[in-house]
Amino acid sequence: MGISFRLLAVLIMCTDYPERFNSVTVVLDVLFSFYNFSKYSLLVSNLRIYVSFSTTGLLTAIHKEYFRVLNYRELLFNDFGDRVAQLLHVQSVIPFLQNNDDSMQQEILIVNTHLLFPHDSSLSIVRLHQVYKILQYLETYQRENKLSQVPVMLCGDWNGSKRGHVYKFLRSQGFVSSYDIAHEYTDSDHKWVSHRNHRGNICGVDFIWLRNPNKSIKPLKISWAEAAFGIIKYQLQKAQLNEKDAFDFLRADNNGNYITYSDFCDALKQLKLTSLSHGLSFQEMKDLWVQADVDGNGVLDYDEFLRIWYCTCSEHIDEDSNSEDSNEGITKEAFGFAVKNAILFPREVEKGIWPENYHLSDHARLTALFSPVRLRCSQKSL
């Protein structure tokens, strides 16, 4: 099996305690060939392997002695980057927690992906689209399968750091970086690196994200709009426009002290956010406009523009939302994970130092150790 393109591997295993199953290890690694998989030769017979033969390729392996795979899906982005994600719905063979309520779901949703590299800033929208599609699918899958009370892990090469739009988007959706939680780093701390890209830059781009079911999150459409506004602001600042200049740029040549929808669309086109095949769609521009036009009068005044500038949206009621929220005040026991530890290997990358013997496009291995915990969660439906 001499397949030479890069594969991203995620191994899900547990630490073998005879008394009870009390920890889960997620290993994020990059393999450059199936040949290299021989280093896991002792595990191969116990692994269930899923490979996606996309442009770059993904590999996800599940330890069969500890996890039963209930479902597997490939999420095709069908976009400029031709990237994919893998979603696995797994259940523990051995109970995570002993003497628990039989109705407690001891299942996990796992996503493995490899986002497009940001070759230029216009691709920020593509990358945001890719994450948005993952989260949309997760939301739908959880709702259709009544899985609102299960933890979610997102693993992979995100090709973006903690300073990027993707990071902020995922944080707004309740995900935490396991490595940063383990080391008590804030969102602004970025002391570690995990990759040297083809430009020679060292950066931290590999994450194992965790979202527990008790996490309060914004509606996905709101988070998406705020992330898109963040990209708009970035492009305006990149053009060296301050707050007032940006407002004048958006309102173009109209005589009033406001921005029209036509002005808004023209400005996004000039910022190269809509004119490309992989840019914002017509419907997405309309959705952003609706979020920005708070009073619904068809124009944006300066105060409403500031909502774009500071990337904040009002939570409009979705016409398609159902009325199953009558259980919102009811709590139920569920299981989740506490981050027990996370390490990068080789260890010097934890200090931001890249090993001299590592090549371009190499990745440091990221390992996260989680401990199952009981949680009290709202029974509100997704």
Side-chain angles (χ1 to χ4, degrees):
M1 299 176 68
I3 299 173
S4 60
F5 59 79
R6 191 173 77 178
L7 297 173
L8 185 66
V10 179
L11 308 183
I12 310 300
M13 299 173 286
C14 82
T15 306
D16 190 8
Y17 288 88
E19 297 84 6
R20 64 192 183 101
F21 181 40
N22 67 353
S23 64
V24 176
T25 304
V26 178
V27 181
L28 177 60
D29 197 4
V30 173
L31 310 179
F32 288 93
S33 164
F34 264 127
Y35 288 124
N36 291 345
F37 201 71
S38 61
K39 64 181 176 179
Y40 298 117
S41 59
L42 295 178
L43 296 172
V44 168
S45 62
N46 291 322
L47 294 178
R48 187 169 180 179
I49 300 170
Y50 297 84
V51 179
S52 173
F53 293 93
S54 63
T55 301
T56 54
L58 293 175
L59 183 150
T60 305
I62 302 296
H63 202 298
K64 293 188 291 187
E65 288 187 11
Y66 303 112
F67 293 96
R68 181 183 301 110
V69 178
L70 303 179
N71 208 346
Y72 169 74
R73 290 285 185 271
E74 282 196 11
L75 314 186
L76 304 178
F77 298 152
N78 296 319
D79 62 5
F80 175 81
D82 190 29
R83 300 302 175 102
V84 299
Q86 295 172 305
L87 181 142
L88 285 90
H89 175 191
V90 304
Q91 182 182 51
S92 61
V93 173
I94 305 170
F96 285 116
L97 302 166
Q98 299 295 322
N99 302 319
N100 61 288
D101 180 357
D102 291 339
S103 65
M104 186 188 296
Q105 295 167 305
Q106 304 220 5
E107 302 170 23
I108 315 170
L109 292 178
I110 302 163
V111 174
N112 178 21
T113 193
H114 182 187
L115 297 190
L116 180 69
F117 182 83
H119 295 280
D120 62 67
S121 58
S122 69
L123 297 179
S124 296
I125 287 292
V126 181
R127 291 164 43 74
L128 208 60
H129 274 145
Q130 290 172 341
V131 179
Y132 190 32
K133 287 179 180 179
I134 290 172
L135 297 183
Q136 282 180 313
Y137 190 90
L138 270 172
E139 188 176 83
T140 300
Y141 189 86
Q142 288 186 271
R143 182 174 62 250
E144 292 178 349
N145 293 279
K146 297 180 172 57
L147 296 172
S148 62
Q149 306 297 320
V150 303
V152 179
M153 291 182 183
L154 307 182
C155 314
D157 178 359
W158 299 86
N159 262 324
S161 73
K162 295 173 66 171
R163 293 181 291 273
H165 305 290
V166 165
Y167 180 92
K168 295 172 184 176
F169 185 28
L170 287 169
R171 291 289 285 119
S172 74
Q173 282 294 294
F175 288 95
V176 295
S177 163
S178 57
Y179 185 86
D180 292 304
I181 291 296
H183 295 268
E184 299 182 346
Y185 291 155
T186 67
D187 285 348
S188 60
D189 289 327
H190 209 327
K191 302 175 182 178
W192 54 273
V193 296
S194 61
H195 174 49
R196 167 165 277 172
N197 63 34
H198 61 278
R199 293 175 177 169
N201 301 322
I202 57 173
C203 44
V205 299
D206 295 329
F207 292 87
I208 298 174
W209 296 94
L210 170 68
R211 184 174 73 190
N212 278 322
N214 65 337
K215 200 71 176 178
S216 177
I217 59 176
K218 292 183 179 181
L220 183 54
K221 284 185 177 180
I222 300 298
S223 286
W224 155 256
E226 291 178 350
F229 287 148
I231 291 176
I232 293 170
K233 177 181 178 179
Y234 173 81
Q235 294 292 75
L236 291 168
Q237 290 180 321
K238 187 179 175 183
Q240 298 184 331
L241 299 178
N242 60 28
E243 186 178 296
K244 182 64 171 64
D245 292 337
F247 179 73
D248 291 338
F249 169 76
L250 286 171
R251 71 185 182 88
D253 296 327
N254 77 64
N255 295 322
N257 196 33
Y258 53 78
I259 303 164
T260 66
Y261 178 64
S262 176
D263 295 334
F264 179 70
C265 293
D266 288 344
L268 295 187
K269 185 175 181 179
Q270 291 185 59
L271 294 172
K272 297 183 179 180
L273 296 177
T274 63
S275 57
L276 303 173
S277 59
H278 51 269
L280 291 167
S281 68
F282 173 78
Q283 186 58 53
E284 287 169 339
M285 285 191 292
K286 288 289 293 183
D287 291 343
L288 290 175
W289 179 261
V290 169
Q291 293 292 343
D293 184 14
V294 178
D295 58 15
N297 67 347
V299 297
L300 302 185
D301 58 29
Y302 190 70
D303 288 339
E304 288 172 319
F305 161 75
L306 291 181
R307 300 179 70 84
I308 296 176
W309 192 256
Y310 293 108
C311 310
T312 57
C313 297
S314 57
E315 297 192 8
H316 297 294
I317 301 298
D318 191 336
E319 295 176 359
D320 297 326
S321 63
N322 56 43
S323 57
E324 295 182 33
D325 294 346
S326 57
N327 292 328
E328 185 173 353
I330 302 175
T331 60
K332 182 179 179 180
E333 188 174 73
F335 101 92
F337 290 114
V339 180
K340 194 171 182 179
N341 196 12
I343 61 172
L344 280 158
F345 180 85
R347 299 303 293 267
E348 55 260 45
V349 301
E350 296 185 324
K351 300 178 181 179
I353 302 170
W354 195 249
E356 292 183 4
N357 61 333
Y358 269 49
H359 303 292
L360 292 179
S361 295
D362 274 356
H363 289 249
R365 178 190 289 187
L366 173 59
T367 304
L369 180 65
F370 302 94
S371 295
V373 293
R374 285 186 173 86
L375 302 170
R376 299 299 296 179
C377 304
S378 167
Q379 205 166 324
K380 180 178 179 179
S381 300
L382 285 171

